[in-house]
Amino acid sequence: MTNHWIDFRNSDCILVMGSNPACNHPVSFKWIQKAIDKGGKLVCVDPRFTQTAAKSSLYAPLRSGSDIAFLGGMIKYILENNLFFEDYVRQYTNATYLVNPAFKLPGDNDGVFSGLTGTKTKEGYVSGKYDRSTWSFQMNEDGTAKKDPTMQDPNCAFQLLKKHFSRYTVEKVVEITGTPKDKLLAVYQAYAVTGKPDKAGTILYAMGWTQHTVGVQNIRAMSIIQLLLGNMGVAGGGVNALRGEANVQGSTDHGLLFHILPGYLKAPAASMPTLADYNEKNTPKTKEPKSANWWGNTPKYSASLLRSFYGAEVPLDAAYGYLPKIDDGANYSWLTIFDKMYKGQFSGFFAWGQNPACSGANANKVRQALAKLKWMVNVNLFPNETGDFWNGPGMNPAKIDTEVFMLPCAASMEKEGSISNSGRWMQWRYKATNAPGEAMPDGEIISELFRKVRELYEKDGGPVSDPILKLSWDYGKSFDAHTVAKEINGYFLEDKEIDGKLYKKGSLVPAFKFLQADGSTSSGCWVYCGSYTADGNKAAKRGKDDPTGIGQYSNWAWAWPVNRRIIYNRASVDISGKPYAPDKPVISWDGTAWKGDVPDGPWPPLASETDGKLPFIMKPDGVASIFGPGLADGPFPEHYEPLECPIEKNPMSPQFVNPTVKRWENDGVPELDKRASCDPRFPIVCTTYRVSEHWQTGVMTRWTPWLLELQPEMFVEMSRELAELKGFKNGERVMVKSARGEVNAVAIVTPRFKPFTIAGQIVHEVGIPWHYGWRYPNPDKKELRSANLLTPSIGDPNTMIPESKAFMVDVIRKEGK
Amino acid sequence: MNEKIMLVDLSKCTACRSCQVACKNWNGLPAVPTINRGTYQNPPDLNAQTYTLIRFQEIEAKDGAIKWLFRNDKCFHCTDAGCMKACPVPGCITRTESGAVVLDSTKCIGCKYCYHACPFSVPQFDAATEKMYKCHWCHDRQAEGRIPACAKACPTGTIQFGDKDAMITLAGKRAKELGGDASVYGEKHLDGTHVVYVLTEKPEVYEKLPVNPKISPLIFLWKDVLKPFSMLSFLGGLGACALYYLIKGPKRPKFEEGGEKHE
Amino acid sequence: MSSTVKNSNYELIDVTTPFERLVHLAFAGSCIMLFISGFALMFHTLSFISTVFGGLYVTKYVHNFSGLLFAVSGLFAVVIWFKEGAIFDADDIKWFMKGGGYLWTKEGIPPQGRFNAGQKMYFVLKASTWALMSVTGIIMWFPYFFGKEITIFCYPLHALGVASLAGAVVVHGFLGSLGNPGTIQAMITGKCTRAWAKLQHAKWLKEYDEKHSK
């Protein structure tokens, strides 16, 4: 989130799309309700009428996987009706930048941007890759981009945006989304109102946007809208991902994903053999005089991270050498891991706090892949479907050699530490009780595991042993969360004088601006530098004061970066530092200093001749991207159909599916990575979601009787029309089938789902929750009940997040009934 | 303690069901086995282990517009409480100062009168213990200055708990704010219920919610007319006999011949 | 004892059969138990009575099972006494008009059969309330089987039965004991004296003598 949960209350229009906070983020509704109480509007766009829709003043249905069409139409609406915040767009975005004249839009290029190479089929390009050289700006002699402040030049980003989305007419959008025209326009109108300088609109999205082959572009589309309306950096605005897990923000911050190190530093690649290469390649440069270009500090953060890993004794270059390097362009995300596992490229696997036999897309492939392992360690609170995979429905234990170890671990209330919520608040939690039996906190398990591995290396040696033997691991015998938290914050490794002040060796670094590239500081995750300082553990702060009056609560916990509650907050003020929304100012410039939230850097407002800075400090040029050349699949979002869809042609262009996605049905395991698009056997769109009462694959909740009582079984929700067509009664036991698997469920026949009219044909959609499995309840039934048995192996080209929100199924009467 | 009101503003309920779980948690109530019956609502109704329940209801207007109503159902803690009127056990159903109608299940004899006398059918029988159970407004929490568990758990402000006057004012204000079919429910029923709804729809729209809840006249007939009359009848008979015996004495048979007709 | 002397006023005559007495005992006994337990359940002020049974919970069961006995014995009572108890004749009318000889006059009471008109009236009341109390009682015992709408009607009906019966039962008990000495033996030993029969049931005595003189 750019903003935070409490900030929802400042919004004038809350657009909920790709999420269902009433159901899945119940506490957020406290703040959404406060916005409504103050006259704010809640708008919900979703394939089905959700609990959030029930509380919205406006609801519009759309077919799963058609969000870009919906949002593209909104961009067109905003631009054509001059509802955008012109000053904001001109001053704070790259709308004025002139783009390479060789750049081509999909409308002029068979549905793809210029530079695509790949195999062309009757569905358009498949598994293509963009040469992004034309996605560039025209440059001045001084190395800055050419700009047209009037935004009239046909090559300027603004005009290209306008041209690109001129194809997204209301008629075209309705044809793709199936949204009734009046509802579509009502949503556009309601949201576009927030383009007024003192109005703020926010978007609350979740996995309903990310789990698509165009997941990143869904969010890009909304980001563009937020920039056009001047909603970034302001109170009640922003682009807000409602994270699906209490600490998923924290785990991402700390480098959970394969392509990043802690603090969003890029993962080293084979083409960067030295630290200097790494820094050179990953430190953006700019000639824009007013750009802060904060990522310019990358060398300080990479050096501090290496110091945190290997201590002061190992030279930085050597330490960098110890880090594993990924092959350039290689992808080691979820789908790849299990594909390689299936192909026998793994011998062991730690399933740590996860349940891939239920949570992985195309879970039948995952289950087969697990059977190829020599060993698996299942670290969890409860024995789950993954640990028990060899005994699952359709598996033959006699033929599976995988040795499975169960390590019981402590639950969150059985250990101390911090979690970081979606609003980037690092909040300290205390231990309430001891873990039962032999269960241990994860930190202790990891610590002990590492010590054992190191002992083996010490005893037996081995290739590349230094990264293990020299790793700094001063945590002692028992794991202490405070020691780790301090390590994450970072230390001065030698006496250092900065701005006339001496910082002693061994003292905690007060903030990341003090981190050094010369190896004199350490920090385990630079964005958290400042969280645990000489002033104490700031995550444990519990101040309830709110002098800002807009719900910042700056003394409650600590938000990265540097306790900034709303990031890009310099965009909430005009160039002289005056808040656009005087009744809910995030920051304001009183002539000498900033008041309010921690500003995005200490510099005076943009208007200051000498050292004014542009607001988007993490962007090299200091401006936000209307034209975003950094992504794999295009500088503007473009509608492509999901991998599996009910219609034969993309109504928008000859290019059917996102041309840059990796096609597993060709490159994976063809007999398992099946695809069935426009297949009469699977005529119904299916989407997945959650219920309030269960969490993830239900390992923590299915075993909790009070929650299971409320939502006891796998179900499939469908319209009355579809039920009538199929002859299903409400509450009847049915089976949902896709090209990859089948799932038992109870039919919930409801008016909350309605058939869509897509490109002139009636399209039915059903929805299933993904919390169920087969190990509990009713383990003796051996029925498959996990939604992911149906979902396809296909991921977004940027993130490889699987497309579990839009795929094709059929629903049949359960056999033997 | 002041008289309290629990305001349940249905316009704010998102059916997260924290109230339902918090209630079970605080009262140590077990989960009952359920199945999916084609609805989110579970258990199907209030039961001896479920004192509060979110009812889900889908409404489709003629133009296709949908409403999904969520209603937190539980004991209303009526001022004129049918259950109290019907209960045969002294001290089993009592009222606290704050207005809670508390059913002490340890004293309950399982006659189920309270269930039948309740206009909302709230008290629930447990066959295993042969006793009735219902929401007691967390009178144990209230006694320690805490608010009921459901109100504490509610994240959206649907369930608010406070002094009577303040809550009644708030309810009226809220209903007015919402406009349309919104209304306050409970305040004027049964001499004022202590759980008061702000409804978003007309009361008749809600399933299992009586439009005009009243203790059945049959209960009045039973308890206020026939019950005293029974005592009157008994005492009357007793009195008449005593009087007869005193004035006229017993009617003895005559053992001397011929005397029988001349007594 | 002169009781053995035939045709003397002291002669003891069989007035009831053992089976009748058993039915009466069960019916009357259950009825008394029902009244005691029922009043304990009906009036908070009388709930102290329940301590005799071991509390209200047990009292409820005492009431339920007494009710069961009441229902069964009542059925027999109705069957065996229907003919004598439910059919009124001209003499009964006269009896009523004289108030049974209890109130304003003792004169002119026509001779009565084995049941006098008052007893017949009591039988009719008893038979109808037996049906009412048994049906409503069973519904109140198993209300979920019958549903709220039906059950809720039973509460006042059951109380109506109590109201109409309470006084009558007391009077019946009085008249059968203190009010008419010699009567209670009929329901204990089954015998009555000829004098008593002459006084109370002359018509029946006549029939009895005719039957036995043959």
Side-chain angles (χ1 to χ4, degrees):
Chain A
M1 279 192 199
T2 56
N3 296 42
H4 58 97
W5 296 103
I6 298 176
D7 183 61
F8 297 172
R9 77 180 209 199
N10 295 315
S11 196
D12 296 294
C13 185
I14 297 174
L15 176 62
V16 171
M17 198 166 164
S19 73
N20 181 10
C23 177
N24 300 326
H25 300 87
V27 181
S28 74
F29 234 80
K30 178 178 187 151
W31 310 112
I32 295 173
Q33 185 61 49
K34 287 208 191 301
I36 297 171
D37 288 347
K38 284 198 283 186
K41 224 171 150 86
L42 177 65
V43 178
C44 177
V45 181
D46 200 285
R48 83 195 150 120
F49 191 88
T50 60
Q51 281 158 254
T52 306
K55 297 290 126 180
S56 301
S57 53
L58 177 57
Y59 163 72
L62 89 169
R63 168 178 62 112
S64 285
S66 63
D67 303 74
I68 288 176
F70 194 103
L71 297 174
M74 194 188 301
I75 294 172
K76 180 175 189 288
Y77 179 89
I78 291 166
L79 294 174
E80 283 186 352
N81 294 291
N82 278 316
L83 298 167
F84 58 99
F85 184 178
E86 198 180 335
D87 282 352
Y88 189 103
V89 172
R90 185 186 305 111
Q91 288 158 348
Y92 296 160
T93 76
N94 67 10
T96 54
Y97 283 38
L98 302 187
V99 174
N100 187 339
F103 171 73
K104 276 192 196 156
L105 288 165
D108 307 325
N109 198 36
D110 285 347
V112 300
F113 296 93
S114 50
L116 189 70
T117 52
T119 332
K120 204 162 182 186
T121 70
K122 64 178 190 326
E123 287 187 4
Y125 287 92
V126 168
S127 298
K129 198 172 161 27
Y130 276 112
D131 166 7
R132 293 184 284 192
S133 56
T134 57
W135 308 0
S136 54
F137 296 118
Q138 301 174 36
M139 304 303 277
N140 292 315
E141 303 259 308
D142 65 359
T144 59
K146 283 189 181 163
K147 301 173 192 89
D148 172 21
T150 66
M151 302 195 291
Q152 295 306 313
D153 189 302
N155 282 322
C156 82
F158 185 80
Q159 289 301 329
L160 288 174
L161 181 81
K162 209 167 179 175
K163 187 177 170 199
H164 176 60
F165 285 105
S166 66
R167 292 155 60 228
Y168 289 67
T169 60
V170 170
E171 292 66 33
K172 189 58 94 182
V173 171
V174 166
E175 189 187 346
I176 296 171
T177 61
T179 310
K181 189 176 166 183
D182 58 332
K183 296 281 176 205
L184 186 83
L185 289 170
V187 174
Y188 291 174
Q189 193 262 334
Y191 200 74
V193 167
T194 65
K196 297 203 180 79
D198 60 342
K199 296 277 180 213
T202 188
I203 168 66
L204 312 185
Y205 75 92
M207 274 58 84
W209 267 1
T210 56
Q211 292 177 354
H212 288 283
T213 41
V214 290
V216 170
Q217 295 289 4
N218 281 336
I219 296 149
R220 263 289 288 157
M222 193 66 210
S223 305
I224 291 171
I225 291 172
Q226 290 297 67
L227 292 172
L228 290 175
L229 299 174
N231 282 335
M232 294 304 292
V234 306
V239 171
N240 296 309
L242 312 181
R243 315 298 306 248
E245 204 252 21
N247 197 20
V248 72
Q249 182 67 50
S251 55
T252 317
D253 297 339
H254 288 287
L256 172 82
L257 302 172
F258 79 93
H259 68 295
I260 47 172
L261 294 173
Y264 301 92
L265 295 169
K266 300 266 188 333
S271 62
M272 313 164 197
T274 68
L275 180 58
D277 296 330
Y278 173 86
N279 284 337
E280 170 64 25
K281 211 148 192 179
N282 293 308
T283 309
K285 289 158 200 71
T286 184
K287 297 278 196 248
E288 284 298 332
K290 295 211 162 184
S291 171
N293 184 24
W294 197 266
W295 277 116
N297 295 310
T298 299
K300 298 175 186 173
Y301 306 147
S302 56
S304 298
L305 179 68
L306 291 169
R307 281 292 186 240
S308 158
F309 281 176
Y310 290 104
E313 303 308 312
V314 179
L316 286 174
D317 276 323
Y320 177 78
Y322 293 160
L323 296 184
K325 315 283 183 299
I326 60 176
D327 291 339
D328 286 80
N331 185 294
Y332 300 106
S333 65
W334 185 273
L335 293 172
T336 317
I337 288 172
F338 287 97
D339 188 64
K340 286 187 188 295
M341 193 185 288
Y342 183 84
K343 289 171 178 165
Q345 296 178 28
F346 283 90
S347 49
F349 173 58
F350 277 84
W352 206 304
Q354 56 176 251
N355 188 14
C358 283
S359 67
N362 195 4
N364 274 325
K365 182 179 177 185
V366 172
R367 296 164 73 220
Q368 296 298 329
L370 295 173
K372 310 273 173 139
L373 293 166
K374 275 204 189 69
W375 56 266
M376 176 171 74
V377 182
N378 190 30
V379 190
N380 216 307
L381 305 184
F382 299 99
N384 57 6
E385 280 79 3
T386 299
D388 199 38
F389 83 94
W390 49 274
N391 198 25
M395 304 299 274
N396 181 358
K399 290 199 170 155
I400 296 170
D401 291 332
T402 313
E403 190 177 0
V404 181
F405 303 89
M406 170 82 198
L407 293 183
C409 62
S412 58
M413 62 292 265
E414 294 160 356
K415 59 193 178 190
E416 190 175 7
S418 75
I419 63 143
S420 297
N421 74 8
S422 308
R424 300 165 283 103
W425 290 17
M426 179 192 187
Q427 305 194 78
W428 201 257
R429 286 181 174 184
Y430 300 92
K431 179 176 165 175
T433 181
N434 286 324
E438 293 179 295
M440 281 161 65
D442 300 288
E444 269 179 49
I445 299 177
I446 293 170
S447 199
E448 191 175 329
L449 184 67
F450 175 73
R451 276 197 298 271
K452 294 285 179 200
V453 169
R454 187 165 60 186
E455 273 170 30
L456 285 172
Y457 267 96
E458 276 164 354
K459 208 165 85 200
D460 304 339
V464 210
S465 57
D466 278 358
I468 301 292
L469 295 174
K470 298 206 166 153
L471 191 74
S472 120
W473 200 266
D474 321 323
Y475 302 129
K477 187 79 186 156
S478 72
F479 174 86
D480 173 35
H482 292 273
T483 312
V484 178
K486 286 181 203 168
E487 164 119 37
I488 287 168
N489 178 81
Y491 294 99
F492 284 102
L493 302 177
E494 52 196 65
D495 289 356
K496 192 90 190 169
E497 198 182 301
I498 300 166
D499 294 337
K501 197 176 167 199
L502 182 72
Y503 295 90
K504 298 288 271 184
K505 178 181 174 180
S507 61
L508 290 159
V509 181
F512 55 62
K513 69 173 180 183
F514 297 98
L515 294 176
Q516 304 295 322
D518 60 4
S520 58
T521 56
S522 74
S523 177
C525 184
W526 73 272
V527 295
Y528 282 86
C529 188
S531 61
Y532 207 127
T533 68
D535 299 335
N537 178 7
K538 295 184 183 170
K541 285 175 81 174
R542 291 294 180 267
K544 289 182 187 168
D545 51 312
D546 177 32
T548 62
I550 58 165
Q552 301 278 43
Y553 296 101
S554 301
N555 285 317
W556 181 282
W558 182 89
W560 73 259
V562 290
N563 207 23
R564 184 174 300 133
R565 301 283 156 145
I566 296 178
I567 55 180
Y568 302 123
N569 55 26
R570 293 172 75 94
S572 72
V573 295
D574 66 14
I575 57 169
S576 65
K578 217 163 83 231
Y580 286 128
D583 58 333
K584 45 188 173 194
V586 184
I587 55 169
S588 62
W589 179 255
D590 67 1
T592 49
W594 290 103
K595 279 189 177 155
D597 196 9
V598 178
D600 262 312
W603 319 282
L606 186 60
S608 161
E609 292 283 329
T610 46
D611 40 8
K613 290 278 185 252
L614 286 157
F616 289 89
I617 63 166
M618 304 311 283
K619 302 296 290 181
D621 295 333
V623 288
S625 300
I626 291 289
F627 185 83
L631 298 175
D633 45 357
F636 291 127
E638 165 77 348
H639 170 75
Y640 298 115
E641 286 294 323
L643 179 77
E644 291 186 341
C645 79
I647 49 176
E648 287 190 323
K649 268 185 63 193
N650 177 357
M652 195 53 85
S653 77
Q655 178 63 36
F656 195 56
V657 176
N658 187 336
T660 55
V661 288
K662 182 176 167 77
R663 297 294 279 264
W664 294 93
E665 76 264 31
N666 304 331
D667 307 337
V669 181
E671 67 271 25
L672 291 172
D673 293 315
K674 286 185 204 150
R675 174 198 184 207
S677 194
C678 263
D679 186 322
R681 291 174 303 157
F682 305 106
I684 303 166
V685 179
C686 184
T687 191
T688 62
Y689 40 77
R690 306 181 185 216
V691 298
S692 302
E693 294 79 8
H694 288 292
W695 192 70
Q696 312 287 66
T697 64
V699 175
M700 280 163 67
T701 52
R702 276 188 275 142
W703 273 264
T704 303
W706 287 332
L707 299 174
L708 192 67
E709 175 188 39
L710 297 170
Q711 280 291 10
E713 293 183 82
M714 180 70 184
F715 60 80
V716 52
E717 287 183 291
M718 64 182 73
S719 67
R720 287 173 180 165
E721 291 81 353
L722 179 62
E724 196 176 324
L725 204 68
K726 295 273 185 182
F728 296 150
K729 284 197 282 293
N730 192 28
E732 186 170 347
R733 284 170 197 274
V734 296
M735 190 173 266
V736 189
K737 292 172 76 163
S738 80
R740 294 156 297 276
E742 48 192 43
V743 165
N744 293 282
V746 175
I748 294 183
V749 179
T750 169
R752 294 179 288 103
F753 260 113
K754 286 260 188 286
F756 294 102
T757 305
I758 307 294
Q761 74 187 70
I762 299 289
V763 171
H764 291 282
E765 179 160 345
V766 296
I768 51 179
W770 65 284
H771 307 294
Y772 298 92
W774 45 89
R775 205 174 182 284
Y776 193 84
N778 305 323
D780 41 323
K781 266 190 158 174
K782 293 238 167 193
E783 273 186 357
L784 292 163
R785 286 177 292 245
S786 171
N788 277 312
L789 298 163
L790 308 176
T791 53
S793 312
I794 189 79
D796 175 275
N798 300 285
T799 61
M800 270 288 179
I801 294 178
E803 189 163 60
S804 15
K805 293 299 176 222
F807 52 96
M808 300 302 290
V809 299
D810 194 12
V811 188
I812 58 167
R813 178 161 276 113
K814 208 182 152 186
E815 283 154 41
K817 251 206 78 191
Chain B
M1 196 183 292
N2 293 337
E3 192 174 356
K4 304 286 183 190
I5 290 278
M6 179 178 276
L7 173 59
V8 183
D9 179 354
L10 298 185
S11 71
K12 294 180 178 175
C13 178
T14 55
C16 74
R17 296 198 270 193
S18 335
C19 49
Q20 218 176 311
V21 176
C23 176
K24 291 219 164 188
N25 185 330
W26 177 257
N27 292 303
L29 297 168
V32 294
T34 53
I35 56 160
N36 191 314
R37 298 160 294 116
T39 166
Y40 284 20
Q41 186 176 314
N42 247 330
D45 211 331
L46 293 173
N47 60 45
Q49 286 81 35
T50 307
Y51 298 167
T52 187
L53 173 78
I54 295 289
R55 296 189 184 278
F56 291 74
Q57 192 181 348
E58 290 162 348
I59 295 176
E60 199 176 1
K62 278 197 191 105
D63 64 352
I66 302 157
K67 282 176 180 168
W68 201 6
L69 306 180
F70 316 124
R71 178 165 78 87
N72 171 282
D73 195 6
K74 60 169 164 286
C75 176
F76 279 79
H77 301 277
C78 318
T79 301
D80 183 16
C83 58
M84 288 182 79
K85 204 172 183 63
C87 181
V89 184
C92 178
I93 305 181
T94 52
R95 182 182 303 287
T96 68
E97 270 177 55
S98 71
V101 175
V102 181
L103 191 162
D104 180 353
S105 299
T106 60
K107 291 185 176 153
C108 174
I109 62 168
C111 69
K112 312 177 188 89
Y113 291 175
C114 52
Y115 166 80
H116 292 93
C118 172
F120 308 99
S121 303
V122 163
Q124 297 287 317
F125 182 69
D126 180 35
T129 60
E130 292 187 79
K131 289 174 187 310
M132 302 299 287
Y133 297 87
K134 74 169 190 74
C135 160
H136 50 75
W137 235 27
C138 288
H139 72 286
D140 46 351
R141 291 175 59 89
Q142 286 193 47
E144 294 191 350
R146 297 165 193 271
I147 62 171
C150 56
K152 180 78 184 166
C154 178
T156 62
T158 303
I159 306 180
Q160 294 173 68
F161 188 81
D163 284 342
K164 183 175 176 179
D165 294 343
M167 287 292 122
I168 294 290
T169 314
L170 194 62
K173 209 178 121 212
R174 180 67 183 162
K176 210 170 192 179
E177 232 169 63
L178 290 166
D181 288 340
S183 67
V184 180
Y185 178 97
E187 173 202 1
K188 294 198 170 61
H189 300 131
L190 299 154
D191 295 347
T193 56
H194 287 85
V195 172
V196 167
Y197 282 134
V198 171
L199 303 177
T200 55
E201 310 295 320
K202 292 198 173 91
E204 54 265 37
V205 174
Y206 293 89
E207 281 165 1
K208 299 213 169 183
L209 184 70
V211 173
N212 190 11
K214 277 197 179 101
I215 301 177
S216 165
L218 294 166
I219 301 292
F220 282 102
L221 184 64
W222 171 33
K223 286 288 176 181
D224 294 344
V225 180
L226 293 166
K227 181 179 142 185
F229 205 73
S230 300
M231 184 50 84
L232 206 66
S233 161
F234 175 73
L235 294 176
L238 215 57
C241 292
L243 217 60
Y244 177 84
Y245 194 76
L246 287 174
I247 297 170
K248 303 227 165 182
K251 186 176 171 187
R252 295 181 195 281
K254 291 289 178 210
F255 290 93
E256 298 80 43
E257 285 303 316
E260 74 244 45
K261 291 261 162 86
H262 305 285
E263 177 79 16
Chain C
M1 254 323 248
S2 52
S3 61
T4 52
V5 180
K6 209 154 162 67
N7 288 326
S8 88
N9 273 343
Y10 291 99
E11 182 195 354
L12 292 176
I13 315 172
D14 287 326
V15 67
T16 55
T17 66
F19 185 66
E20 281 183 308
R21 293 197 298 281
L22 181 69
V23 169
H24 183 263
L25 182 68
F27 199 34
S30 60
C31 187
I32 291 164
M33 287 303 280
L34 286 167
F35 264 104
I36 296 172
S37 56
F39 270 46
L41 288 164
M42 200 174 202
F43 299 96
H44 282 192
T45 44
L46 297 180
S47 65
F48 67 89
I49 298 169
S50 67
T51 44
V52 175
F53 304 110
L56 281 166
Y57 173 75
V58 183
T59 306
K60 176 183 167 273
Y61 275 103
V62 168
H63 194 78
N64 291 154
F65 286 100
S66 302
L68 210 57
L69 184 60
F70 179 80
V72 174
S73 56
L75 180 65
F76 283 104
V78 169
V79 170
I80 63 178
W81 291 319
F82 188 81
K83 247 189 186 157
E84 287 170 287
I87 297 163
F88 291 78
D89 56 22
D91 285 347
D92 294 324
I93 310 287
K94 277 185 206 155
W95 190 93
F96 281 124
M97 288 170 68
K98 298 279 179 191
Y102 288 100
L103 300 171
W104 59 92
T105 176
K106 288 181 183 173
E107 305 300 319
I109 308 292
Q112 295 288 306
R114 199 164 72 120
F115 288 0
N116 68 29
Q119 284 172 303
K120 286 183 182 178
M121 192 174 71
Y122 183 68
F123 173 82
V124 170
L125 175 68
K126 198 75 197 191
S128 45
T129 47
W130 160 77
L132 177 75
M133 299 308 268
S134 301
V135 170
T136 56
I138 282 172
I139 292 172
M140 286 162 72
W141 192 356
F142 303 103
Y144 294 148
F145 184 78
F146 297 94
K148 192 169 183 174
E149 288 70 24
I150 291 175
T151 306
I152 200 163
F153 267 96
C154 294
Y155 294 143
L157 286 175
H158 207 73
L160 179 69
V162 179
S164 42
L165 213 48
V169 165
V170 171
V171 171
H172 175 75
F174 170 76
L175 292 175
S177 55
L178 290 177
N180 292 295
T183 307
I184 202 158
Q185 286 90 327
M187 278 303 162
I188 297 171
T189 63
K191 313 249 185 221
C192 66
T193 59
R194 182 168 286 275
W196 179 86
K198 269 185 202 165
L199 171 67
Q200 305 284 12
H201 303 283
K203 203 187 332 182
W204 168 74
L205 184 63
K206 210 173 144 200
E207 284 161 20
Y208 175 86
D209 284 342
E210 280 165 16
K211 215 173 180 184
H212 285 80
S213 62
K214 276 171 198 163

